[in-house]
Amino acid sequence: MASILDEYEDALHRSVSVQQSRASVGIPHSGYVNARLEKETPIFNKQRIDFTPPEKINSLVVSSNQLCMSLGKDTLLRIDLGKPDEPNQVELGRKDEAKVYKMFLDHTGSHLLIALNTSECLYLNRSVQKVRALSRWKGHLIESVGWNKFLGSETNTGPILVGTSQGQIYEAEISVSEGSLFSTNPDQYFRQVYTLEEESGPAPVCCLEIERGIEGKFFIIATTRKRLFQFVGKVPEGTEQQGFSSIFAVHADHLPSFREFPANLGFSEIAFYTPKLRSNPRSFAWMMGNGVLYGTLDYSRPDSILSDERVWVYPPDIDITVNKPISIVLTQFHFLLLLSDRVKAVCTLNGQVVFQDLFLEKFGLLTRMIKDPTVQQIWIHTEKVVFRYHVQRESRDVWKMYMNMNKFDLAKEYCKDRPECLDIVLAKEAEHCFQNKRYLDSAKCYALTQNYFEEIALKFIEAKQEEALMEFLIKKLSNLKPSEKTQTTLLTTWLTELYLNWLGILQGDPSQRNLYLDTREKFRTFLSSPKNKDCLFNNRASIYELLASHGDTEHMVYFAVIMQDYERVVAHHCQHDEYDEALNVLSRHRDEKLFYKFSPVLIQHIPKKVVDAWISMGSRLDARNLIPALVNYSQSASTQQINEAIRYMEFCVYQLEETQQAIHNYLLSLYALCRPDSLLSYLEQAGTNPNRIHYDLKYALRLCAEHGHHRACVHIYKVMELYEEAVDLALQVDVDLAKSCADLPEDDEELRKKLWLKIARHVVQEEKDVKKAMACLSSCALLKIEDVLPFFPDFVTIDHFKEAICNSLEDYNKHIEELKREMEEATQSAKRIREDIQEMRNKYGSVEPQEKCAACDFPLLNRPFYLFLCGHMFHYDCLLQAVFPNLPAYKQAKLEDLQKKLAATSQPSKSHHRPKDADTISLGKGQQSREQIKADIDDIVAAECVYCGELMIRSIDKPFIDPQKYEEEMQSWL
């Protein structure tokens, strides 16, 4: 038998050739994804705000959907972007030449700080209209503010940090009084905590950021033009409101950790990215002279929050001496650089420019770019125009960058909802693993792609990587749809062949024992997989052939068990003389048909265990189907082995209460053959009622007769009511047994007498025992001495019968006296009856004129009536009406017939020409008939008083109202 693997390899080569030819003419593979990516909208979508400022825009800040804009010299415009049609204009109230230098808006959009170029600072709360000067801040040009996101509120900033152009860092707090517009001093305090320096001395504090990590640790980031400082420390619990002095005090004698770069823009700016639903930033980007320092923020680190740092140099068209960047904004995967006439977006993954947007000269030079962290919108303004960028699906192409960086897990994460991109990533990962000889990983990835199946399979075959090929096929099989039955069948069969080949190789190598056991377990898991069950079942014949061709009987049995092909399993065990294993399979799966099929073989070798298994099956087995196995076994077995057959038959009869005649007949035959004592007890237990006996009487009689079991034959004769045969056979065994049979026909005295005569004749003629013969006379009242005398021989003297004859004569005398007494009693009874009749004829009753009918309560004498001995009186028609409904049907019919006859006899003759004598004769006959009819009616109607007789007793359980007339009666009462 040729290996399926070899055949399929040839087919794969042919398939790949066909695919290549198809590809040369541009034929696409119908089942695979076309990976062409559709054109999408830009990630950064620019929108010009429909707003024309009355004066030039000096500065613009936005946070929490609150936008603040400085216009001209003295105007401040506030806009709630949720209500853009309701702008709020505030006047700064400055009469001097001061100009707005910078503005700072906290994360809630409630607190606005306005730094003036005159080294002054103003404050404006969102809930008020008047700008307030911060007197303690005077004399400092404010460059940066670090807001407190943890203690700030709408009326209080909490401790904040302020950076100046001279390098000083101050701690301050601003509070709005509840009772009035401002307290006397809105700036609660303003104290210096540190001074930042570069190699040349103090340097402007360009940026400040306050973050809190785990376990109450605070991280403060401060930047100058060339340096990035980190201050790390804990604020004692309960003292947060006292500020951050303790953190800076640690570094009073030595510099904190910092990053320094040689180039200088003259300023620097740091941006952070905070994901939605998170309070802490996740990454940062610091724009300085040498480029952009990008990294992530790790709050678990003890001394530095910055992690995974790298420097992305500026694109080639940016010359920091001529066209330096102005601002930076950070998003999830990009940082945006603002130049005077354009915006560039650089991917943080590879440092490549992915987006560039040029602005027309008519808009003027770009001044500032900021981002609202709460809504992830980017704002850019010139002196006369405001633009807004919406970030849309920023991660759409990230998968491709991660893929090119060989970070396939991240690439798959960002294209899991785009199957065409995911397929590209998987194919690239699979190829990468294959090139690095990670064949198993490659197979897992290839199985998830839509690449040509044949090409991949051939690729592993040529590399002689069968294990990887198997992994590929397994994964591919798990991804197939239920409707792809042909592909499922192909892969299942091929995998079976591969497993068997691999197991065959490993089995012969003792050093690979553990690998063999592991592979065997995988193969069994494959065979028993619920997903493969239907396919394996439909193709089980091919699988059996494969297993047989490899001589793997172990897995053939295992596969048969999985397929519930227990017949094959049991047959295998029987062929290898493993009878106990075969019986265990039968007992475990309890299949009745298999028991019927294999019992004849098993009972020959393990009879007791087989019978135990039958008994455990109980009523699920039909004992009739097991009789052939028992008959075949009992014919060639010893008495001891036959006992097992008897044990099961007794279980069926006594425990299961089987009534099948074949079972009882077979048990009888076993009893007759080996257990005659049990035979008679079984027959007696079955009883003597032929209708309740489950064995064949004629068969049992013949069987017992053949084996000479006479007592059993006598019992069967008795059941068959063949008493003469029973007595005849019993006399050959025991006279007492014959006597018990002779008394059985209780209703037939003649037969009983005949049977007892048989016994007497046997006793006299065969046993010649006169005393025993006389005992028979006493045992049966039907026998007389005269019946027995003919059986005795002539030489017997009368002395033997003297007592019996005397007893017989005495019985005759007693019988005659009893008859005389009965005759006298009958004569006296007849005499009394005649006297009663004569007395009744002379008996009468008197009726008063005022007597009324007991039924209708009308005068009695108006119509024919009846008078009863009890004193009740009824009109004839009233009594008839009361009695008739309670009469039986046949009496009602007879009464109606008598009434019709009575009515017919009362009609006059229609003929007027009859002879007179004829009329007289006819009248006489009619009169006699009429009287008889009346008497018959009286016998029915007036047999008893309707109130005192049995009729009233029988009607005690009848309702007063007829159920059929109940509704009518009920309605009459309403």
Side-chain angles (χ1 to χ4, degrees), residues 40-268:
E40 297 179 293
T41 57
I43 296 175
F44 303 99
N45 188 19
K46 183 175 68 175
Q47 175 189 8
R48 179 181 176 183
I49 304 301
D50 186 13
F51 170 72
T52 304
E55 300 180 74
K56 70 176 183 177
I57 302 172
N58 298 320
S59 182
L60 183 148
V61 289
V62 60
S63 181
S64 295
N65 242 10
Q66 302 294 319
L67 184 145
C68 298
M69 187 186 307
S70 171
L71 301 177
K73 177 182 176 183
D74 198 47
T75 303
L76 189 67
L77 186 65
R78 295 188 296 182
I79 301 175
D80 184 348
L81 296 177
K83 303 173 183 178
D85 297 333
E86 301 177 9
N88 176 249
Q89 185 171 320
V90 177
E91 300 296 331
L92 298 182
R94 303 290 296 191
K95 303 300 182 181
D96 54 13
E97 297 297 323
K99 295 181 181 179
V100 174
Y101 176 64
K102 285 185 178 179
M103 294 197 304
F104 308 95
L105 185 63
D106 79 320
H107 60 286
T108 65
S110 300
H111 306 283
L112 177 65
L113 291 173
I114 308 167
L116 303 179
N117 59 356
T118 57
S119 298
E120 295 178 85
C121 191
L122 307 178
Y123 172 75
L124 178 65
N125 191 276
R126 184 170 64 180
S127 60
V128 299
Q129 282 288 107
K130 186 176 180 182
V131 176
R132 186 71 175 176
L134 302 176
S135 59
R136 290 188 174 92
W137 298 39
K138 190 172 183 181
H140 301 284
L141 182 62
I142 308 302
E143 291 285 348
S144 59
V145 175
W147 296 103
N148 194 326
K149 294 179 285 187
F150 314 105
L151 295 178
S153 65
E154 292 185 359
T155 59
N156 189 286
T157 62
I160 62 175
L161 297 177
V162 180
T164 69
S165 60
Q166 301 300 317
Q168 296 98 351
I169 298 178
Y170 288 86
E171 185 179 79
E173 182 176 358
I174 302 173
S175 178
V176 178
S177 175
E178 297 288 340
S180 60
L181 182 63
F182 283 102
S183 63
T184 305
N185 293 309
D187 47 337
Q188 302 296 311
Y189 62 87
F190 189 77
R191 57 175 174 260
Q192 183 177 351
V193 293
Y194 202 80
T195 301
L196 296 183
E197 295 183 355
E198 293 180 352
E199 67 276 4
S200 59
V205 182
C206 299
C207 299
L208 281 170
E209 181 73 16
I210 304 171
E211 297 296 338
R212 184 168 62 184
I214 58 177
E215 299 179 353
K217 184 180 291 186
F218 282 87
F219 297 88
I220 300 173
I221 298 175
T223 67
T224 62
R225 295 166 295 192
K226 299 165 58 176
R227 290 182 178 181
L228 185 150
F229 295 87
Q230 290 187 80
F231 299 87
V232 182
K234 285 187 177 181
V235 176
E237 187 175 355
T239 63
E240 291 88 348
Q241 198 68 37
Q242 297 178 10
F244 307 102
S245 301
S246 59
I247 299 176
F248 289 100
V250 176
H251 304 282
D253 299 329
H254 62 277
L255 287 175
S257 63
F258 63 89
R259 305 283 191 277
E260 183 175 13
F261 295 89
N264 187 354
L265 287 176
F267 64 94
S268 70

Side-chain angles (χ1 to χ4, degrees), residues 724 727-728 731 754-763:
E724 292 189 41
V727 171
D728 291 340
L731 288 173
K754 182 178 179 181
L755 297 177
W756 277 102
L757 286 174
K758 281 178 176 286
I759 298 172
R761 182 195 297 263
H762 175 81
V763 172

